[in-house]
Amino acid sequence: MIRFVALALVAALAYAVLGAGVSHAPPRGIDLAGRALAGEAPQLALIFTASCWWYVLVVFGVVALVVAARVPAWRARAITSVVTTLIAWQASDVLKNIFRRPRPDYWNLIHESTFSYSSGHAMFATIVYALWAWYVWRSGLPRAVRLGVPPLLILWAGGILWSRLALGAHYVTDLAGGVLLGITALALAAAIRAAAPQRRGAANPA
């Protein structure tokens, strides 16, 4: 449990430091370089971006809850995924309004109305697609599934990150912040799950 708490603290600190450093300063360095991707394959980028829209996430959440109800071996994973996603979603919205970083002014197709830091899409790519890649890889599913599905999910998560640059919706550091926020949320969730057996053992020493 301690290592998960430590990871959460490190990721949260890096998130806060990065946000403070970029949110009230003009874009520079890697953020300026990221502009070169803006406008690339916008329709493809829109497909990746749409995979993190709220109604898609709701469908995923419902499927996860059905899995939790019908497959006991996956119950803890599915519930952890849904609860972590919901809490991180709300936290992301609050943090955007704290950092208040303006969006890039070279957007394509979609003009986002919220602030830029940090990227909710990057966070969802981490706590939904990357997390389920980990779940499948560490599961008892057939070997072909365990070796085939996780790389596809990771590639899809990478496509989501690329899509936010291609649509001009975020700076590179927004994406880094979103990943850090996702890591923070997952590490805290892992710490809570790791502590749960200890609490049960304390309540029932036998």
Side-chain angles (χ1 to χ4, degrees):
M1 182 184 72
I2 294 177
R3 69 180 185 273
F4 293 127
V5 173
L7 176 59
L9 290 174
V10 170
L13 179 60
Y15 173 87
V17 170
L18 178 61
V22 302
S23 291
H24 301 290
R28 57 186 181 272
I30 194 171
D31 285 336
L32 292 178
R35 182 169 184 169
L37 296 177
E40 285 192 349
Q43 296 301 325
L44 176 60
L46 190 60
I47 293 172
F48 282 111
T49 278
S51 67
C52 286
W53 284 348
W54 70 268
Y55 50 82
V56 176
L57 297 176
V58 167
V59 170
F60 286 167
V62 170
V63 171
L65 292 176
V66 170
V67 170
R70 299 179 64 88
V71 187
W74 283 79
R75 188 165 296 157
R77 296 184 182 112
I79 293 174
T80 298
S81 173
V82 171
V83 172
T84 303
T85 300
L86 289 173
I87 293 174
W89 194 338
Q90 297 305 310
S92 176
D93 289 344
V94 170
L95 290 166
K96 282 177 182 286
N97 289 321
I98 291 175
F99 288 103
R100 301 179 68 84
R101 187 185 197 185
R103 294 270 183 173
D105 58 4
Y106 46 85
W107 56 274
N108 291 288
L109 298 183
I110 300 174
H111 190 187
E112 304 283 3
S113 58
T114 57
F115 290 107
S116 198
Y117 188 89
S118 57
S119 167
H121 276 74
M123 181 191 71
F124 290 132
T126 304
I127 65 175
V128 177
Y129 294 93
L131 175 61
W132 279 94
W134 169 260
Y135 281 165
V136 173
W137 182 53
R138 299 284 291 178
S139 73
L141 292 170
R143 188 169 187 270
V145 176
R146 288 187 288 109
L147 295 180
V149 172
L152 294 177
L153 290 172
I154 293 298
L155 285 172
W156 193 272
I160 292 169
L161 302 184
W162 162 79
S163 75
R164 305 311 284 157
L165 299 176
L167 294 175
H170 281 291
Y171 299 107
V172 174
T173 47
D174 297 333
L175 303 179
V179 172
L180 287 170
L181 185 58
I183 291 172
T184 301
L186 292 178
L188 288 174
I192 292 170
R193 282 194 60 185
Q198 298 175 15
R199 290 198 298 269
R200 288 196 295 268
N204 184 16

